[in-house]
């Protein structure tokens, strides 16, 4: 599910890029110009009216991005799957309270996921978990054992580097480049201005570059 390190670092070098999740938000004009955005908005409105099939389509659209975000925070596939499922369960229970004014549905789901991750780490039963599996990827070929080992090393290195960043920088990187949300959506999820998100992103990228460089020496 998650991008490999090369694709992530390439994406992080670009200030603005298109995202499969970005059509879910934006202005009314954006929705008028983007058929996919209009479809997502219609699905949310149907889901708010109790249409289970519509919510299922929203789940299909957003689940991969939410899973990516959670996985990079907790480092465990099983826990990430559980928290992702709970994110959508809570979203379904509270979707009637969602409104479009100043909000984005993808960012709204991300906020729920962030809160669940925070609750997990605050729990007295919580403990930091060691990564024992490779970050999931969509592959078209069967990887060799050597490729698996190299992927594990690089993914663990990236995971550890991201989690050394200050909290807001870390979440900014995960939302922008692991989950794939836009600057505007990231701003909505973090409760910050777009300008502040751009500054967070810049500081995070510089911080990651320093951490990774030091770790591979």
């Amino acid at each position: 599910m998650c991008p490999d390190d090369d694709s992530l670092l390439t994406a992080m070098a670009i200030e603005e890029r298109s995202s499969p999740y970005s059509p879910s938000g934006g202005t009314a004009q954006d929705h008028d110009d983007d058929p996919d955005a209009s479809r997502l908005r219609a699905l949310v409105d149907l889901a708010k009216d109790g249409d289970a099939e519509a919510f299922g389509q929203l789940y299909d659209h957003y689940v991969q991005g939410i899973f990516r975000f959670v996985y990079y925070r907790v480092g465990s596939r099983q826990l990430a799957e559980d928290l992702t499922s709970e994110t959508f369960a809570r979203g379904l229970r509270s979707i009637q309270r969602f409104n479009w004014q100043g909000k984005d549905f993808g960012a709204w789901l991300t906020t729920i996921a962030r809160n669940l991750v925070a609750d997990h780490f605050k729990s007295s039963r919580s403990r930091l978990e060691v990564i024992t599996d490779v970050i999931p990827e969509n592959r078209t070929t069967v990887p060799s054992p050597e490729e698996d080992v190299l992927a594990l090393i690089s993914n663990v290195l990236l995971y550890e580097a991201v989690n050394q960043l200050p909290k807001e920088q870390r979440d900014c990187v995960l939302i922008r480049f692991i989950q794939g949300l836009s600057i505007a959506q990231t701003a909505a999820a973090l409760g910050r201005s777009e300008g502040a998100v751009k500054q967070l992103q810049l500081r995070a990228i510089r911080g990651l570059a320093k951490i990774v460089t030091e770790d591979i020496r």
Side-chain angles (χ1 to χ4, degrees), residues 2-9 12 72 131 135 151-165 170 173-174 177-178 208-209 211-212 215-216:
C2 291
D4 59 26
D5 292 344
D6 289 340
S7 64
L8 173 61
L9 294 174
M12 289 172 59
Y72 264 87
I131 299 178
I135 293 175
L152 177 58
I153 293 172
S154 59
N155 282 325
V156 170
L157 177 63
L158 180 61
Y159 170 87
E160 292 176 345
V162 168
N163 281 280
Q164 289 180 51
L165 294 172
R170 177 199 65 212
V173 166
L174 295 181
F177 301 111
I178 299 300
L208 276 178
I211 293 168
V212 171
D215 286 346
I216 64 177

Side-chain angles (χ1 to χ4, degrees), residues 20-34:
Y21 300 96
S22 59
S24 61
T27 64
Q29 183 63 42
D30 292 332
H31 290 294
D32 291 340
D33 295 341
D34 191 332

Side-chain angles (χ1 to χ4, degrees), residues 118-132:
D119 289 345
H120 165 73
F121 285 119
K122 287 177 182 176
S123 170
S124 60
R125 296 186 302 273
S126 173
R127 65 183 184 278
L128 292 177
E129 299 183 35
V130 177
I131 299 178
T132 58

Side-chain angles (χ1 to χ4, degrees), residues 55-95:
F55 190 84
Q57 292 184 52
L58 291 169
Y59 174 89
D60 291 340
H61 183 83
Y62 290 105
V63 65
Q64 191 177 71
I66 295 294
F67 177 84
R68 287 171 175 168
F69 172 80
V70 175
Y71 189 95
Y72 264 87
R73 285 291 293 112
V74 301
S76 162
R77 182 197 301 267
Q78 183 59 57
L79 180 57
E81 289 175 349
D82 291 345
L83 293 178
T84 298
S85 295
E86 180 60 20
T87 295
F88 284 91
R90 291 193 181 188
L92 179 60
R93 291 196 295 268
S94 58
I95 193 170

Side-chain angles (χ1 to χ4, degrees), residues 193-205:
S193 69
E194 292 185 25
V197 166
K198 290 178 181 179
Q199 289 299 313
L200 280 172
Q201 176 178 297
L202 179 60
R203 290 196 293 269
I205 292 171

